[in-house]
Amino acid sequence: MDPFLRAAIEEAEAGLAEGGIPIGSVLVRDGTIVGRGHNRRVQQGSSILHGEMDAIENAGRRSASFYRECTLYTTLSPCAMCSGAIRLYRIPRVVIGENQTFLGEERWLREHGVNVRVENDPRCIALMRQFIHEQPEVWNEDIGE
């Protein structure tokens, strides 16, 4: 398995262990993780702390040219908000763990020149399916329905 997707899965598992939604993300530049994060909407009472947003935030204040050399790994297909951040910072590559439980804005990202790769990793799929089954009300309060 790709070590950076594995790191994103570890973030998703950390979020789940904290009582949150199991979506994780890492931002990578030159083979090094520069930002890690997971969905912390539940833990922080936040409306915007999705995994991708958390990873970008945790990368810190960076120049536009910095982001243009990054790849974002995320366990779940990015929603419209996270896709907007990917485009805003012109992150050129996104690796998605799975898009079976939720199909985000992959087409829109591709239309705007982002290289999108979907792995459909069984662990990513299982994490989300189990969470949606066990906590549909939490999933549905955001992008689930």
Side-chain angles (χ1 to χ4, degrees):
M1 172 185 287
D2 183 307
F4 300 121
L5 182 56
R6 182 180 301 119
I9 293 170
E10 290 168 1
E11 284 293 323
E13 291 169 337
L16 184 62
E18 294 169 357
I21 302 167
I23 303 168
S25 186
V26 296
L27 187 66
V28 175
R29 183 173 184 260
D30 294 329
T32 301
I33 295 173
V34 295
R36 304 177 72 100
H38 51 270
N39 188 301
R40 294 188 300 138
R41 288 182 52 254
V42 173
Q43 300 92 309
Q44 298 294 320
S46 171
S47 59
I48 62 169
L49 275 180
H50 288 192
E52 300 90 339
M53 302 295 280
D54 196 37
I56 292 169
E57 171 72 13
N58 290 330
R61 185 175 174 190
R62 305 290 187 147
S63 69
S65 62
F66 176 89
Y67 289 105
R68 290 184 196 128
E69 297 175 1
C70 290
T71 301
L72 183 74
Y73 289 76
T74 182
T75 59
L76 186 64
S77 186
C79 72
M81 175 180 67
C82 295
S83 294
I86 290 163
R87 285 294 303 128
L88 175 68
Y89 292 105
R90 294 189 174 109
I91 297 169
R93 290 169 301 282
V94 177
V95 177
I96 298 169
E98 70 104 345
N99 64 4
Q100 302 299 299
T101 60
F102 175 78
L103 179 59
E105 302 299 324
E106 295 171 25
R107 189 175 98 198
W108 183 80
L109 286 168
R110 285 184 180 107
E111 288 171 354
H112 288 86
V114 177
N115 179 333
V116 176
R117 187 175 89 218
V118 180
E119 297 293 324
N120 280 323
D121 177 82
R123 181 68 184 136
C124 293
I125 295 167
L127 276 168
M128 284 310 302
R129 283 190 177 153
Q130 182 175 353
F131 181 82
I132 292 167
H133 174 75
E134 292 176 358
Q135 297 192 52
E137 67 288 344
V138 176
W139 173 246
N140 288 326
E141 71 184 35
D142 187 20
I143 58 175
E145 257 189 44

